[in-house]
Amino acid sequence: MMKHYILNLNPTAKHEWDRCIIRDPLTAKRPDIAKIIAEAVGADTGSYLVSVNIEVTVLQEAPAPLPEQLSLPFPETNTASMLREAA
């Protein structure tokens, strides 16, 4: 079974639980790994010794956020005074 998720790493997050987040790319919900394994086993009840292999392949890295942009003030232009000067 192949599943794809988005991994968000933020070591400077305010809360520890927000430092490493894995989410479904379509719903943005956090996956219930135990439920996914239970679905793969396919039984209703019982105890099972299971082996789970997790292979991680980075498919795409999101670009880093841009630093805050500074707004540069533009000199105010008065169209009426410009037209008078041109005349």
Side-chain angles (χ1 to χ4, degrees), residues 12-76:
T12 60
K14 183 177 180 181
H15 302 289
E16 183 178 339
W17 58 84
D18 283 336
R19 292 184 183 148
C20 180
I21 300 172
I22 190 166
R23 295 193 183 275
D24 183 282
L26 299 177
T27 64
K29 293 181 180 178
R30 294 183 182 194
D32 182 350
I33 302 297
K35 183 178 177 184
I36 294 170
I37 294 170
E39 290 171 358
V41 169
D44 292 333
T45 59
S47 296
Y48 301 88
L49 176 63
V50 297
S51 173
V52 177
N53 295 318
I54 297 177
E55 180 181 329
V56 177
T57 304
V58 177
L59 300 176
Q60 180 179 0
E61 182 178 358
L66 296 174
E68 284 189 34
Q69 295 180 349
L70 300 174
S71 62
L72 300 174
F74 288 96
E76 292 184 26

